[in-house]
Amino acid sequence: MQFVDAKTRNERLSKDMGVFLAGCGLVRATRAIGRLRYDVNGFLIFVVPQGYRTEEYEAAALAIIRVKRDDWVEKEIRIRLANPPRKKGVVHRPISIFDLSGVDILIAKDIASVPRDVCFAATAVLYVEPPTTQHINAARRLLGNSPFSDDVAAMLAKCPQNVQLAAVLKPTFTKDNIHEIDDFDRIETNGPSLFDLPGYEEVKPWARDLVKGVSRWRQRTLEWKLTRAGVLVSGLPGTGKTLFASALATALGMRLVSTTVGAWQATGTLDDMLAAMRKTFESVNDGKGAVLFIDEIDAIGTRLTRPSGHHGDHYWQVVVTDFLTLLSSLGEGVIIVAATNYPDWIDPAILRAGRIDEHFTLSLPNKLTRAEILSHHAGGVLPLESLVDIAEDLDGKAGADLERLVRDALRTARSEDRELELRDLEAQLPEKLRYSPEQCLRLAVHESGHALAALALGHATGATIEIKETFDPSLDAFIGGTTTYDLIPDYFPTATSLRNRIAVSLAGMAAEIAVFGDPSIGSGGEIGSDVERATAIARRMVGSYGLGKTPVFMGTVKELANKPLPERLEVEVSQMLAEENERMLSMMTEERERVLALAADIVTHGTVKIERGGLADAA
Ligand code: ADP
């Protein structure tokens, strides 16, 4: 292959400014292989700047090589895209080593999309830089427009391709136009901005910083790499993870691209999945900025903990590696929002610094936030105070449940041809059942056990106990009673203080046995339940802190959560739990009268606070 002389090249390139700027980049890139006047044996791969379209580079490549007049028909063979766009109804074929015949130049969007054997066969892989200030001003002059000042040209050199071209084409360009440029890629959407939504308190400060960073990036006063670009949001279904991504995009004035790992996977084979994944990333890498929302990110598999010798291991290995490559070659302005219900299942490499390195857990909304969410969906027509009363009865409900409730209430109002009223919402409240007197006493006895043990064992100086009169049978788990402690700080726990924590957790069930002779299921069943908490502490003591019979380390606290200990250590954990249970059973049996008196007090008042010194008084 031969290149044309500078004069012919300029003649050909100067017909289209987009192609001209691309051509300048190509010529500059060829410096790496010496002067253009020499013949090139074999073929070259040009990798276009990130976020730039390949079309202009394809046309520019054709303009800089020597072609005989009748060769032009062969252009589709000599200049090719490494990864041509998919066409409907045509099998997608990225370039392979077997179809290089006649090729002079391959244009690639990113080198990862070119097979390794093809890279190897190339004479050289040349990375094209974005247009320089000189290129931009040369384009201005070609059009007969006056060149930009140095600072404007330097600013434009950092802008996306569409902005550069728009500025070059504008006949008169003044300093005032610069601010218009900043807003080119801002997108106005109808959805709410994150900052107008209730809740999300844990994420809003991060998002505020991001909005500031993006605005400075748009004005080219901050480099993209200094802006944090990836966040993981986890939480139960309906806690607003999807809404967060779209509301963040609105706040940033960016496009939202949503996908799920499942959608990539559903494309078929491993190759199809990788292609779908790349296509998604390519679609956001245009330099204009976008929020890329990836739901079910946990489904991407874990290389470290999953390998099992199964066929599937290789699959996930390849997928995770490819995913990491795509993450690290993300274009400017792309913010990844990954969502999951299971944050522990995610490959740690994905969460390492520089990738998705912020993590927020969206929790179920508290009473006030529930009221605000109701108000938001009701369009602000009902007073917030009255909604707080309704929200009181919606403990354990997620944002999605609240939205559904308002929607149903609105439907009723509309069917009666009137505005929404408070009674419409009240009519939608879940039907609550009352605890029987015996059940109330049991709840009170259980909480009394916790509270008295906490005070007796030096775990807390005071405890406030509350029991509920009603429960919502539609919830998977309902909390009948709670004890909140005025904890004695224990920043440097000892074996004794940890054992006491186990004991306090088990004391509720022990009190039930001491009083009724028969415990209920209320101490277990859930993460965060009494028995789970006690077991977790015992396992950490034995398997991680070295506080069992033999000081041995089987993994970090986090790792222990998901893996069984060797049998003899699990036996030791059980023994520890049994001992603490025995200790609490004798304490509660001895203190049975006191437990009962406190429980009776709680049943009467609903809420009771006891303090360490006043233990006897409380009883
Ligand atoms: P997830 O993705 O966590 O399953 P979604 O984002 O799909 O949850 O939330 C479902 C619906 O719940 C949202 O469309 C919205 O109507 C409502 N919602 C959740 N959180 C909030 C909130 N903080 N403010 C207003 N509405 C919310």
Side-chain angles (χ1 to χ4, degrees), residues 197-198 200 236-243 373 376-377 399-400 403:
L197 282 177
Y200 295 115
L236 296 169
T239 43
K241 299 181 292 293
T242 311
L243 179 64
I373 295 178
H376 172 85
H377 289 290
E403 190 246 356

Side-chain angles (χ1 to χ4, degrees), residues 192 194 196-200 204 233-246 293 295 339-341 362 365 369 372-374 376-377 398-404 407:
L194 181 66
D196 297 332
L197 282 177
Y200 295 115
K204 278 178 180 165
V233 283
S234 58
L236 296 169
T239 43
K241 299 181 292 293
T242 311
L243 179 64
F244 166 73
S246 69
F293 177 62
D295 205 357
T340 179
N341 300 343
L362 301 182
T369 310
E372 289 170 346
I373 295 178
L374 291 173
H376 172 85
H377 289 290
D401 305 317
L402 301 172
E403 190 246 356
R404 198 170 317 120
R407 205 171 346 116

Side-chain angles (χ1 to χ4, degrees), residues 157 209 515:
D209 277 351
V515 171

Side-chain angles (χ1 to χ4, degrees), residues 358-381:
E358 288 285 344
H359 179 187
F360 296 102
T361 307
L362 301 182
S363 35
L364 288 173
N366 62 21
K367 186 165 69 177
L368 182 62
T369 310
R370 290 198 295 275
E372 289 170 346
I373 295 178
L374 291 173
S375 169
H376 172 85
H377 289 290
V381 296

